[in-house]
Amino acid sequence: MKEIRHEPVAPTRTQWLAPGAAIDPHRHDDHQIVYAGRGVLAVTTSTGLWIAPATRAIWVPAGTVHAHQAHGELALHLVGLPASENPLNLAEPAVLTVGPLLRELILAHTDAPPDERPESPERARLRAVLLDQLRVSPQQPVHLPTPSSPQLKAVCEILRTNPADNRTLPALGREVGASDRTLSRLFKADLGMTFPQWRTQLRLYRALVLLSEDTPVTTVAHCCGWSSASAFIDVFRRSFGHTPGAHQPRS
């Protein structure tokens, strides 16, 4: 990572990022909720890549070094919380489901007029309801962890370069000089998931990026390794609760 900025206070605000724009690595003394009301947001930490389309938000604990990357035009909504206030009781980043009510609460809280007093009773009530909704928001692991094992890094890099590569783990193992049994063990020990689970997460991440660029669904399915558009749509719907078309700019 680049030089890490220290911004003690995590801001509460809305900002727009152009497609491809990035915010360099930084950390806060506060917790932060990061939500993309439009576009697809990728947050990188030391443990991997966290992905958030408009139905997800990312919890960034106090002190966590993180960087932002915009895919498509991004409406970035940031909610800062004091380190003493942890409604999720989480010390690690997490991806949370954002339902209709939580979405509207985040938008209202981050779009408040600049001259509105932070301590106003109205704002305090809004914030209290927002925190209540965060506490009951289910976690959804849209996370692409970063491997540390050299052999695992080699396999993951092959697939990052070409998510449509459909080779089996034994075939990939032969290319990097490792048995499929060793790689299977490393995926579980190093990344906390199986090889098929990691590959599916990678493909979903790449699909979100392509959809944010208004790539046709059939093309996305092909580029990401699904056998058909219908197979892709099925996996996408089960993962995000709706069809891929909802993430395209024209929709």
Side-chain angles (χ1 to χ4, degrees), residues 183-194:
L183 291 174
S184 292
R185 176 179 56 78
L186 288 172
F187 266 103
K188 292 179 182 177
D190 202 1
L191 304 182
M193 59 181 66
T194 65

Side-chain angles (χ1 to χ4, degrees), residues 122-143:
E122 296 80 8
R123 191 166 176 81
R125 287 193 292 270
L126 176 64
R127 186 172 178 277
V129 178
L130 191 157
L131 293 179
D132 283 341
Q133 286 297 303
L134 285 175
R135 290 185 184 98
V136 298
S137 179
Q139 294 183 45
Q140 295 287 339
V142 190
H143 174 216

Side-chain angles (χ1 to χ4, degrees), residues 3-227:
E3 183 180 351
I4 297 168
R5 288 182 290 111
H6 178 214
E7 299 179 0
V9 177
T12 295
R13 66 172 183 243
T14 298
Q15 66 184 94
W16 287 85
L17 295 179
I23 298 176
D24 290 343
H26 60 284
R27 62 183 175 88
H28 306 292
D29 295 336
D30 297 334
H31 304 302
Q32 193 171 54
I33 298 292
V34 186
Y35 173 67
R38 178 188 177 97
V40 173
L41 170 68
V43 173
T44 303
T45 73
S46 61
T47 59
L49 189 65
W50 306 81
I51 309 147
T55 55
R56 302 290 187 267
I58 299 176
W59 165 257
V60 182
T64 301
V65 176
H66 59 291
H68 304 302
Q69 176 73 48
H71 298 291
E73 187 178 29
L74 192 71
L76 187 62
H77 299 270
L78 304 169
V79 178
L81 300 172
S84 59
E85 193 167 18
N86 189 335
L88 302 173
N89 292 319
L90 292 175
E92 300 294 333
V95 177
L96 310 172
T97 298
V98 175
L101 176 56
L102 181 54
R103 172 185 166 84
E104 293 306 315
L105 288 166
I106 292 174
L107 296 185
H109 191 59
T110 57
D111 290 342
D115 58 348
E116 181 178 320
R117 294 183 295 115
E119 68 277 13
S120 69
E122 296 80 8
R123 191 166 176 81
R125 287 193 292 270
L126 176 64
R127 186 172 178 277
V129 178
L130 191 157
L131 293 179
D132 283 341
Q133 286 297 303
L134 285 175
R135 290 185 184 98
V136 298
S137 179
Q139 294 183 45
Q140 295 287 339
V142 190
H143 174 216
L144 201 63
T146 300
S148 57
S149 160
Q151 292 168 317
L152 206 55
K153 281 183 178 180
V155 169
C156 292
E157 186 56 33
I158 290 171
L159 297 178
R160 282 178 184 271
T161 302
N162 179 19
D165 189 329
N166 279 314
R167 281 181 290 177
T168 63
L169 194 56
L172 290 167
R174 286 191 292 272
E175 180 164 335
V176 302
S179 70
D180 58 319
R181 178 176 296 183
T182 295
L183 291 174
S184 292
R185 176 179 56 78
L186 288 172
F187 266 103
K188 292 179 182 177
D190 202 1
L191 304 182
M193 59 181 66
T194 65
F195 168 63
Q197 288 170 334
W198 188 90
R199 177 147 66 181
T200 297
Q201 291 293 302
L202 171 67
R203 288 175 170 177
L204 286 171
Y205 166 63
R206 183 59 184 156
L208 285 169
V209 171
L210 291 172
L211 290 168
S212 74
E213 298 169 352
D214 212 13
T215 306
V217 170
T218 301
T219 303
V220 173
H222 173 74
C223 290
C224 295
W226 275 281
S227 58

